[in-house]
Every structure is written in C-alpha cells, then in structure tokens.
Amino acid sequence: MAQRRRRSTGRTAGSKVALVCAGGGITGAVYEIGCLRALEDLLDRSVLDLDLYVGISGGAFVSSLLANGFSPIEMYDEVAAGRPFGLSSTPIFRLGFSDLARRSARAPRVLRDALVTALTGEGRNLSDLALSLFELLPAGLLDNSGIQTFLAKLFRARGRSDRFEDLARELLLVAVDLDTGEAVSFGADGHRSTPISKAVQASTALPGLYRPVRLGGRDYVDGGVKKTAHINLAIQSGADLVICINPIVPILNVGPKAPLKSHLSNKGVSFVLDQVLRIMLHGRMEYGLERYETEHPDVDILLIEPTRDDMRMFGYNIMRMSARKVVAEDGYRSVVQSVRHNRAAYTRVLKRHGLRLGDPSRLPTRPLRHPHRSPVARALASSLDLLDAKLD
C-alpha cells in the first residue's frame, strides 16, 4: 500500500472518503476482497460506511456488494469456502451458442463475397480470403449474463436492492460504450435507471472473451478498456481521500532474487502476453496518478496493490477461480504487512480525514476463520435480513 499524496492542510471533519476497486478479472476481484477484509480489521470505520464506491470490471462486482451492505468478512468467508452466498450454483459464464449459430449461417455469403473480391483483382489475394473468416466469429466467445442473474438473485434473497436509487451510499460502475469509445458511469445522473446487476455485467464484459452487453440500444464492454481505475470519477464526485485497490502489477523479474529464476520469455508466450498486459495497465495507472497529483494536490490517494515480486498474483491467470483461497489470503496479507512497515505514514494520512488505524501487529497474517453456520441458520439469517429490510 503506497501513499501517493501528501497534504499540508488538514480536514478531519466532513471529509468524503471513496473506495475505488479496479479491474483484474476473477483473480483481481478475489484479491480485492482479501484487501477489504484487512481494511475492515484495521480501520475504526467499517468499509461499509464509506461515502462512495467506484467499481471497474471485477471491481464492479465487489463494489456492488459493498454498496448493498455485504460485509468484507462475509465476502471473504464465502470466497474462501467456495459457497455462493447460500444460493444454488449459478453458471457465471455461458457459451454464446445463439450468436455463434447466427454467424455460422452467414458463412456462404461471406465466403462468396471474399472469393469474388479476390478473383476480380480488387486489391485482395487468397490470404485476405482466409482473414475474411474472422467475420464469422461472434463478438465474444462467452456470454457473461450469469453475473447479472447471480447478483439479481442474491439481492432478492437478501432483501437488498438492484436499483441505484435505493442505495444508502453512492455507487458508480464503469463500462465503455463500444461504438463511441466513451466511458459511462452507471449510477451517475442520466444512468441510474439501469439495474445494478446489469451494470456489473456490462462493466465485466472483457472484449473478445465476453460478448458486449446491450443496454438501451448501446453496446458496452469492460470498464478497464478506457482507464485502469477511473480514480478521476471519485475526485470529480468530491472525494477528499481515495482508497484505490489495484490488483494488476507487472512482475519485477531481475536480480539474484528474481521470482522466475530465468528470463520471463523462457516461460512461453502466455507469460509474455500476461506481462505486457500488466505493463500497459500499470503504466496507465502511474500516468493517471501523476496527473492527479498535479491537478488535484488537495486530494489524498492511498494505493493498495501487490508487490512487484508477488508470484501468487502473477502465477495465476486473472480468470482462474480455483485459486480464490490463496489469492484472498494474499490480499489480506499484503495489506497487513504493508501497514506494519508504513504505519506512521498511513496513520497521518488517515487522521487528516477522521479515520484511525488499528495496531497491525495484533493482526494475524491471515484472517481468522468464522465458524460456518448450518443451512438452517443461514436461511434464518437471510429471512431476518429480509424482514429487517421490509420494516425499514
């Protein structure tokens, strides 16, 4: 965790605190849950009591739960144990058979047009004929509508709302309009009618892998396409302190303690492409932070991210669900260890905004596990939550 801004002016009362959860696929979302679990143990204010939540891609899933009152403790326990919040199993991602079938029906026409163009000498050759076959591929190999189904079902079961208007805290979920290239903040003025679960689906639609999500006649893709974290949204919304969790950093593979013990390229193309993606995303993050420091010197930003030698975060594919327990523990551990090493600096920053930091030396390196409740107890708790919501 790094302090990215220092202020000479103090404002302990009335500071607006925002939490930004950046993208990073399934692995990134699980890492963020581990980090939030540590913050819940360290801060004197619950993570549920912050003023604004901004979510991008996998971070949109996490932010939607926080804004709806799901505690980091419960999220961590569910992730570590593999229980989907007491719901029956829901396929989060589905194969897009319908889109594939529709495009396959176009094959004769596409091949005919490409062949005619090649034979009539209109600047194409037979290699262009092969490339034309890409027109037959669907807009995404998978359909991520299961995310929307899962969240909508979860919100109903717990008596929570799928509407931005009903939330007690501000929530902004970012997706990118595919046809205009503009970032759209669901939950902001003009974009509050979309259900939260549907906005999360749009924000997590990673291009190429998942089909774009159509809302109101517009196609949306992953919010990380435009910017890695969209910290600017929190600043524009009046945040004085921004806590940003960024799960994706490039590995630092140099020196006698190089994590891979050899050149990264020796590991194959998958490692090379993964590193290149991380370099691009992290470079954008660093550039944005430099801009904010110049343009908004009165805003404090605390950046939480893995260390550059953390092979647990680099060694797992960002869409790998089976590594959830290891990654969640890594998120918790990284925050606790960082605060132990930089306690004085973090204490000063947080104090300026009316937050107190607990003693990190009293925390374990992994969170204490809570006893699992029986299905009857879980069902009773859900029923009480529903009753409480209706009484409110």
Side-chain angles (χ1 to χ4, degrees), residues 26-333:
I26 294 174
T27 303
V30 172
Y31 174 84
E32 290 173 345
I33 289 173
C35 292
L36 292 169
R37 178 69 174 81
L39 291 176
E40 187 76 0
D41 287 345
L42 286 166
L43 297 177
D44 68 329
R45 184 195 303 183
S46 172
V47 177
L48 297 178
D49 293 330
L50 304 183
D51 303 297
L52 168 66
Y53 304 96
V54 179
I56 303 94
S57 190
F61 181 89
V62 177
S63 298
S64 71
L65 294 178
L66 287 173
N68 248 311
F70 291 86
S71 74
I73 296 176
E74 180 181 15
M75 284 193 280
Y76 186 96
D77 287 348
E78 297 292 335
V79 165
R83 303 188 308 269
F85 294 94
L87 299 179
S88 58
S89 179
T90 302
I92 298 298
F93 307 114
R94 307 180 177 105
L95 289 175
F97 288 117
S98 59
D99 196 17
L100 183 60
R102 285 194 301 269
R103 289 186 173 271
S104 297
R106 299 170 50 192
R109 180 185 61 80
V110 171
L111 292 174
R112 182 199 65 211
D113 293 346
L115 185 60
V116 169
T117 301
L119 294 178
T120 55
E122 295 183 9
R124 291 191 177 187
N125 53 34
L126 292 180
S127 64
D128 296 317
L129 174 62
L131 290 175
S132 67
L133 295 177
F134 281 97
E135 295 182 35
L136 301 177
L137 294 177
L141 299 178
L142 299 175
D143 174 6
N144 70 337
S145 60
I147 292 180
Q148 186 273 331
T149 303
F150 175 83
L151 286 175
K153 184 177 179 181
L154 177 61
F155 294 155
R156 286 195 303 270
R158 297 297 184 87
R160 310 295 168 83
S161 179
D162 202 9
R163 291 161 38 92
F164 287 98
E165 294 87 347
D166 297 336
L167 298 178
R169 300 283 189 266
E170 285 185 80
L171 173 65
L172 299 177
L173 304 177
V174 185
V176 174
D177 188 316
L178 183 61
D179 292 301
T180 66
E182 296 299 321
V184 173
S185 303
F186 293 102
D189 293 340
H191 297 282
R192 296 175 64 83
S193 61
T194 300
I196 295 172
S197 59
K198 199 69 178 179
V200 173
Q201 181 190 352
S203 184
T204 56
L206 186 65
L209 185 58
Y210 306 122
R211 188 171 61 195
V213 177
R214 186 159 296 176
L215 298 171
R218 311 297 303 177
D219 283 341
Y220 295 96
V221 295
D222 194 297
V225 169
K226 186 81 172 181
K227 293 181 181 178
T228 302
H230 293 272
I231 293 174
N232 61 306
L233 289 178
I235 297 175
Q236 292 169 6
S237 298
D240 302 291
L241 170 64
V242 179
I243 301 173
C244 176
I245 307 179
N246 173 47
I248 303 298
V249 299
I251 194 73
L252 186 63
N253 188 48
V254 295
K257 296 184 178 180
L260 297 178
K261 309 301 182 184
S262 67
H263 289 291
L264 192 146
S265 60
N266 294 339
K267 297 293 184 179
V269 67
S270 62
F271 275 71
V272 172
L273 293 178
D274 191 20
Q275 176 77 335
V276 169
L277 175 63
R278 291 168 180 270
I279 292 171
M280 292 171 58
L281 294 176
H282 200 255
R284 292 193 308 178
M285 169 75 75
E286 290 293 320
Y287 173 73
L289 290 173
E290 291 172 1
R291 282 189 54 198
Y292 305 143
E293 185 171 7
T294 302
E295 298 173 3
H296 305 282
D298 58 336
V299 176
D300 281 318
I301 301 176
L302 290 181
L303 179 63
I304 301 173
E305 55 186 15
T307 58
R308 295 282 303 278
D309 61 350
D310 189 343
M311 275 304 297
R312 285 179 293 269
M313 286 302 294
F314 186 81
Y316 294 119
N317 183 281
I318 64 172
M319 303 308 295
R320 183 174 176 181
M321 187 62 180
S322 61
R324 59 186 182 274
K325 182 177 179 181
V326 174
V327 173
E329 288 185 358
D330 191 51
Y332 185 94
R333 185 186 303 109

